[in-house]
Amino acid sequence: MTTKMRSEIAEQPAALRATLDALLPRIDEVKALGEQTRQLLFIARGTSDNAAVYGRYLVEAHAGRLATLAAPSIATTYRRRLDLNGVLAVALSQSGRTEEIVETLSWAKDCGAKTVAITNGGPASPLAEAADLALCTLAGEEKAVPATKTYTTQLAALAVLGLGLGADVDAADLSRVPDAVEKLIAEPGALDDIVEGLADKPGVVVSGRGMAFSTALELALKLKEACYLHAMGLSYADLLHGPIAVVDEDTPAILVAAGDGPTLPGTISLAERVTGAGAAAYGVGGGDGLAAVSTAALNGPDLPEWVAPLGLIVPGQLLTEALARRLGIDPDAPRGLNKVTQTD
């Protein structure tokens, strides 16, 4: 059985190539808008909110700008006006039609912010039309409810945004992403072993830190929506502040890390602590170091930390799709979910 989700996972290398080809030439447009601002406000919900977490870490760690995640309810429910002069508001929505996100971006502009839209909905979508600058991804139509290629292309757009804001990284690293994703799809690692390890478990903790935190949040969301697991996405720093108590024989941990960077040693130490307590620790990425101390591991991308999240989520997507089928669930149409979610 080939699900729509599995087919769309396979389409990601092409979607990333098309998106990067379209957006990299627009770095100067981002730069011009960024020069009028000091800090960033990311506006999103759901999967797009997880992508925004990557954007936040990227611009703070590499572009030296303060960034935060918006609370759309301030605009749509409390209707409170804020002083957003000097702010670059970046709204993310795969469809570009989520009314709350469109309204919040318009509110931000009315409060004095410069505005950017990141959407797969095209330049005629309501979100793109509401923004000063629209960075439209080219993932093509996505039919499965769980977002895959629209998520990774959002990350690509955020990477371009970071470059336009002066991130101290090598732009050439982005050209390696599609091939790295292609390799992960062909060689995900110990996928079957981890599927069997999770098949009889009611819940799982998914943890990462820094650039990989967005991947941990997104993988936890995928496991919740497509496999109906009680999946908790946490920074490993927060995990150590108490929630690690839930990790046991019935609640394994999935630990996510890039193959390099300052958070890798802590992730390896956490895996050792988890297995030392008698629980399973499943690694995603983290190179040979994390794999060596994990119960089983999925491969990560051969990419530097700043772009690793564009690949790190892919083995997690494959795990989600395979586990859903193992549990007898159709990952294309999880119960109670629609492709576009409207919130008040």
Side-chain angles (χ1 to χ4, degrees), residues 84-215:
L84 297 183
N85 286 295
V87 171
L88 182 63
V90 182
L92 299 94
S93 167
Q94 279 119 1
S95 68
R97 294 184 286 113
T98 301
E99 293 172 2
E100 180 191 31
I101 302 305
V102 177
E103 183 179 344
T104 303
L105 187 67
S106 298
W107 163 86
K109 180 183 285 190
D110 187 56
C111 289
K114 300 298 180 182
T115 55
V116 173
I118 294 177
T119 181
N120 197 54
S125 65
L127 188 67
E129 290 184 337
D132 296 319
L133 173 65
L135 300 177
C136 295
T137 59
L138 296 176
E141 183 183 7
E142 190 172 63
K143 295 180 179 179
V145 169
T148 53
K149 60 181 180 174
T150 54
Y151 174 75
T152 51
T153 53
Q154 278 184 331
L155 298 186
L158 287 165
V160 172
L161 180 81
L163 292 172
L165 295 176
D168 57 352
V169 294
D170 185 354
D173 292 334
L174 275 175
S175 66
R176 298 167 49 198
V177 169
D179 287 347
V181 169
E182 204 159 50
K183 183 176 180 181
L184 286 170
I185 293 170
E187 303 171 10
L191 185 63
D192 292 342
D193 291 343
I194 299 178
V195 167
E196 288 307 311
L198 294 176
D200 63 344
K201 300 297 187 289
V204 63
V205 171
V206 189
S207 187
R209 193 173 184 183
M211 297 291 170
F213 182 35
S214 58
T215 306

